[in-house]
Amino acid sequence: STDQAGSLPSTEKEPDDIIEENNQENLPATAAEGEGAAGGVYRYIKGDLFTSEIFKVEIQNLPKYIGFNDLKKFLNKHGVNPHKIKLFSKQMFAFVTFKNQEERDKAMKAVHGMQWKSKVLSVRLAKPKADPILKKRKQEEEAEGGQHGAKRAAGSQEGEEEEEGPLNIQIANAVTPLWNVPYEEQLKRKEKEVEGVLQKLTREIGNNNKAMLPWLFLQKEKYNKLCCPLEAIRPSPVQTEYRNKCEFVIGVGADGEDKTVGFRLGKYKGGSCAVVSPAETSHVSSEAKRVVQGFQQFIRTTPYAVYSPETYEGHWRQLTVRTSRIKQTMAIVFFNPQKLQEEEIEELKRNLRQYFTEGEGQESAITSLYFVRMGQRTSAGTEDLPCEHVTGEEWIHEELLGLKFRISPHSFFQTNTPAAEVLYSAVGEWAQLDQDSTVLDVCCGTGTIGISLAKRVKKVIGIELCQEAVEDAKANAEANGLTNVEFHCGKAEDVFPTVLNAVVSPNVTAIVDPPRAGLHSKVILAIRRAEHLKRLIYVACNAKAAMNNFTDLCRAVSNRVRGAPFRPVRAMAVDLFPQTMHCETILLFEREPCAHGKQEGAFNQKLTNLNIKLNDSALQFFSRCPKKPPRVKQTSCHI
């Protein structure tokens, strides 16, 4: 699972950063080309750098009431593979970008003139968006050009600074927005958020599986209008200095100091690049702060400038720090080599090594140091960049639930170790495992969940995209003396169906802990088809984003979705990210029983006990479950 709460601002300007909200910002091609050539607000569009904004179209006349996923599925169904989608549902149009011109042109031919829900779609080329930093600067210059403009701008700026307060308060609000909220209140807010997710899931099940309505009616009555019980949120054992991984931006400080290492006050698309030190933030460990301070001192002694996402010039980009409870620290330095000679880069690496092993940087107590060459993206790929080992151990190690784990630079490991123990313990409680069980650990990272359960089951099979993490997982299984664990590297949608079909165990439980976007639909469809898989535990770092996964697990059988649906039977939030609004959500799904007669009998008996009278239309609805049920009249309750 990707840690949303802790994903900190990156120095990379992604295509998302330059997509703004209003269609009015789309300028004619001549304007875009003219300003781009002149180095204006379209300067980011360069022939040798990748941005999908170059390959953008506008789809017009979309049907009413469609959502992002409806549009994505529609495009995929017709062989169109978008890179990014920005939907404006009220205006019934969308911007769609592609990885290259060929895919864009193919999409235009396929979609233009196509009919969708009685609407004939129209497609036209769309223009790239203005760089938000340059656009903001241009607006400020224009404002200052007017009469008394400079005075007004200065007065406005002073007012803003006065309103926002000191920098330590501003950065606390940016990265830990609940820092001044009592922890009990934080937990209540997070539990309320998860309750809202379950309310939506309840509606989605009702809309997409009419045969489940009798069961859903009883569940809503039992569990305060929810499809399943929501158990009390489990708090994090620690509320401060809990992060074991932080990504720090390198840039110009908000206080004017050059080469500052810390967090951005805002996002690039909001027009802000100012960086503030993490020294007074509550969620960063003292070990990480010490590394930041030492590294900042080092880069200020070098002749190399910080990288500018505005001009693409400069070198220092990012510092990632990983720490563990056994006092090991890994630092990963991201550097844009630009046109430096190899000898200069090697000398820089030697200086880094000397500084942290023999010089003033020894106080940082780094046990593993890596160097990453991070140039401009020239394609749409998202592969992990190669890490060059500079000094120290190749890994750091962590202990979790009495087990030992090694962690590589790119490997996923939950960012709050004590709270991860709470999370994984809950997963183990809910899984109902025995010595005949087989566990499928999907998106397993370094193997933490599967390895923590291995001694209780017959076999654990892990699936993970990151090769480094798979190697770590194998080493972790061996280090903990486990022989009933195996790991497969690849995309879950490619590997999972094959692995699942090969499992012959009568007691199969799947545990999925995917990135924030959720699982690929192919994985969900494979889970549905595997009738011998009766139980699924879904660990979601962003339950709202995973809603389509939840719905597809529960929706009625169709030509696309085969296999009996699942039902949600338990849900709970676990707080891994104190001082923020984020938390992990666990949902337990179980395969729906085949015999519907018992459900309907229990449902009818319940109505009798409650003295609820339904007319013939309502009874016919629940027995036959037509696609469009008639309206229920003359009832003494709302269903």
Side-chain angles (χ1 to χ4, degrees):
S1 161
T2 299
D3 161 26
Q4 185 175 8
S7 51
L8 304 169
S10 167
T11 55
E12 181 70 40
K13 180 167 62 177
E14 298 290 344
D16 274 348
D17 293 332
I18 49 180
I19 294 178
E20 298 167 359
E21 295 298 323
N22 297 316
N23 184 34
Q24 298 172 354
E25 304 295 335
N26 260 343
L27 300 179
T30 51
E33 289 164 5
E35 293 213 37
V41 293
Y42 297 94
R43 185 167 57 197
Y44 71 91
I45 305 172
K46 296 185 177 182
D48 57 339
L49 303 181
F50 174 77
T51 169
S52 62
E53 282 289 298
I54 302 171
F55 312 112
K56 184 161 72 172
V57 301
E58 180 183 345
I59 303 178
Q60 300 175 317
N61 203 35
L62 291 169
K64 288 184 178 180
Y65 311 120
I66 65 163
F68 169 87
N69 285 288
D70 297 317
L71 178 55
K72 185 178 180 182
K73 287 179 182 178
F74 175 80
L75 294 175
N76 290 157
K77 179 181 177 182
H78 293 91
V80 176
N81 298 305
H83 184 61
K84 301 282 184 182
I85 296 175
K86 185 72 174 179
L87 176 65
F88 300 80
S89 52
K90 291 183 180 179
Q91 291 88 354
M92 293 183 290
F93 70 91
F95 292 129
V96 183
T97 69
F98 298 88
K99 294 180 180 179
N100 53 54
Q101 183 175 340
E102 182 183 355
E103 290 188 9
R104 182 197 67 187
D105 294 347
K106 174 186 172 184
M108 292 185 73
K109 291 178 183 177
V111 178
H112 187 71
M114 187 177 289
Q115 186 166 327
W116 186 18
K117 295 184 178 180
S118 77
K119 292 282 189 176
V120 178
L121 305 183
S122 171
V123 184
R124 68 177 186 179
L125 290 174
K127 308 306 176 285
K129 297 304 178 83
D131 183 299
I133 290 284
L134 298 177
K135 179 185 171 188
K136 183 179 180 181
R137 184 173 301 156
K138 183 178 179 182
Q139 290 173 339
E140 288 172 352
E141 290 172 355
E142 288 173 353
E144 289 175 1
Q147 188 176 5
H148 306 300
K151 290 182 179 179
R152 286 200 305 272
S156 170
Q157 188 175 358
E158 286 172 11
E160 285 176 11
E161 288 177 359
E162 212 170 283
E163 186 179 341
E164 290 174 345
L167 289 177
N168 63 327
I169 301 298
Q170 291 184 47
I171 199 62
N173 290 335
V175 298
T176 51
L178 301 184
W179 65 274
N180 60 348
V181 177
Y183 190 54
E184 287 302 318
E185 175 61 25
Q186 293 184 34
L187 294 177
K188 289 178 183 177
R189 293 187 189 183
K190 295 181 186 190
E191 199 164 55
K192 196 72 177 174
E193 282 286 311
V194 176
E195 184 179 342
V197 169
L198 289 182
Q199 288 171 346
K200 183 174 182 182
L201 178 56
T202 304
R203 293 193 298 270
E204 292 295 327
I205 293 173
N207 293 335
N208 291 281
N209 195 335
K210 303 302 182 187
M212 273 199 194
L213 282 173
W215 170 84
L216 196 61
F217 177 86
L218 298 177
Q219 293 292 100
K220 289 173 68 175
E221 182 198 321
K222 283 184 196 175
Y223 303 118
N224 192 27
K225 300 183 179 180
L226 301 180
C227 56
C228 67
L230 175 59
E231 301 185 11
I233 186 171
R234 297 197 183 178
S236 171
V238 291
Q239 288 87 54
T240 59
E241 297 193 15
Y242 60 83
R243 289 195 62 86
N244 59 38
K245 179 184 178 183
C246 290
E247 295 172 350
F248 301 103
V249 175
I250 307 170
V252 178
D255 57 2
E257 285 284 344
D258 192 15
K259 299 182 184 178
T260 297
V261 183
F263 300 135
R264 274 197 190 144
L265 275 177
K267 294 182 178 180
Y268 189 94
K269 65 181 179 182
S272 172
C273 273
V275 177
V276 177
S277 165
E280 296 186 55
T281 54
S282 60
H283 64 326
V284 179
S285 69
S286 56
E287 292 87 354
K289 291 175 182 177
R290 192 163 56 236
V291 174
V292 166
Q293 185 60 30
F295 179 70
Q296 182 172 275
Q297 289 176 3
F298 172 79
I299 65 174
R300 287 179 176 177
T301 66
T302 70
Y304 305 116
V306 298
Y307 175 80
S308 168
E310 176 188 333
T311 65
Y312 302 102
E313 298 170 347
H315 301 276
W316 298 111
R317 300 196 63 163
Q318 179 177 309
L319 173 71
T320 296
V321 180
R322 307 189 76 153
T323 56
S324 71
R325 293 192 290 189
I326 59 174
K327 302 304 178 185
Q328 294 184 355
T329 301
M330 177 184 289
I332 310 165
V333 176
F334 292 81
F335 184 85
N336 190 324
Q338 301 290 6
K339 296 180 180 179
L340 292 180
Q341 297 298 313
E342 184 64 27
E343 294 79 11
E344 295 176 272
I345 295 176
E346 288 301 321
E347 182 182 1
L348 176 60
K349 288 163 62 178
R350 284 193 298 272
N351 291 340
L352 268 170
R353 183 186 305 114
Q354 191 277 332
Y355 177 80
F356 283 111
T357 58
E358 302 172 19
E360 295 179 19
Q362 285 185 87
E363 295 180 5
S364 301
I366 290 175
T367 59
S368 177
L369 179 62
Y370 280 90
F371 184 86
V372 178
R373 305 181 194 216
M374 188 179 189
Q376 309 308 136
R377 291 199 311 161
T378 56
S379 69
T382 57
E383 303 85 10
D384 289 330
L385 295 168
C387 292
E388 301 173 36
H389 184 235
V390 177
T391 189
E393 299 290 330
E394 292 186 42
W395 311 279
I396 59 171
H397 297 81
E398 183 60 287
E399 292 182 354
L400 182 144
L401 294 174
L403 300 163
K404 299 175 182 177
F405 295 91
R406 87 174 195 192
I407 306 168
S408 293
H410 288 309
S411 297
F412 171 76
F413 196 91
Q414 287 286 3
T415 57
N416 181 341
T417 306
E421 292 182 317
V422 175
L423 176 70
Y424 297 156
S425 296
V427 170
E429 291 169 18
W430 288 21
Q432 301 175 37
L433 302 171
D434 58 38
Q435 288 299 316
D436 293 325
S437 300
T438 296
V439 172
L440 300 176
D441 187 2
V442 184
C443 305
C444 65
T446 54
T448 44
I449 295 179
I451 288 173
S452 69
L453 302 174
K455 290 182 180 179
R456 298 158 53 182
V457 302
K458 182 179 180 180
K459 191 174 187 64
V460 172
I461 303 173
I463 299 171
E464 169 59 38
L465 175 62
C466 175
Q467 181 65 50
E468 271 188 21
V470 170
E471 295 303 318
D472 286 344
K474 291 177 179 178
N476 292 334
E478 185 177 348
N480 289 287
L482 301 172
T483 57
N484 62 337
V485 182
E486 64 181 58
F487 295 97
H488 300 265
C489 183
K491 292 181 178 179
E493 59 267 28
D494 296 335
V495 178
F496 185 77
T498 305
V499 169
L500 187 55
N501 291 334
V503 174
V504 293
S505 170
N507 187 359
V508 183
T509 297
I511 299 171
V512 300
D513 186 7
R516 70 188 65 176
L519 288 170
H520 194 285
S521 60
K522 287 182 181 178
V523 180
I524 298 295
L525 296 179
I527 289 171
R528 285 290 300 267
R529 287 194 300 269
E531 296 275 7
H532 60 299
L533 200 169
K534 303 297 186 185
R535 188 177 298 107
L536 170 76
I537 296 178
Y538 198 120
V539 180
C541 61
N542 186 340
K544 289 181 180 178
M547 183 58 66
N548 281 320
N549 282 177
F550 302 158
T551 304
D552 282 347
L553 285 169
C554 303
R555 71 170 62 250
V557 175
S558 65
N559 289 335
R560 184 179 78 92
V561 184
R562 305 295 178 91
F566 286 80
R567 296 169 170 174
V569 294
R570 292 175 83 175
M572 181 174 68
V574 180
D575 185 22
L576 267 74
F577 317 110
Q579 323 310 328
T580 79
M581 270 306 297
H582 305 291
C583 64
E584 296 277 334
T585 304
I586 314 175
L587 276 90
L588 171 61
F589 292 89
E590 291 183 351
R591 186 82 67 169
E592 184 182 34
C594 294
H596 294 291
K598 292 181 180 179
Q599 303 170 39
E600 292 167 8
F603 174 68
N604 292 333
Q605 183 61 48
K606 192 68 177 178
L607 294 181
T608 302
N609 295 341
L610 294 172
N611 293 320
I612 295 174
K613 296 180 180 180
L614 298 181
N615 64 12
D616 291 340
S617 296
L619 294 172
Q620 182 187 50
F621 165 70
F622 285 119
S623 61
R624 297 184 183 177
C625 299
K627 189 171 183 181
K628 292 186 178 180
R631 186 183 299 276
V632 178
K633 298 180 180 179
Q634 299 176 350
T635 67
S636 54
C637 75
H638 175 69
I639 298 178

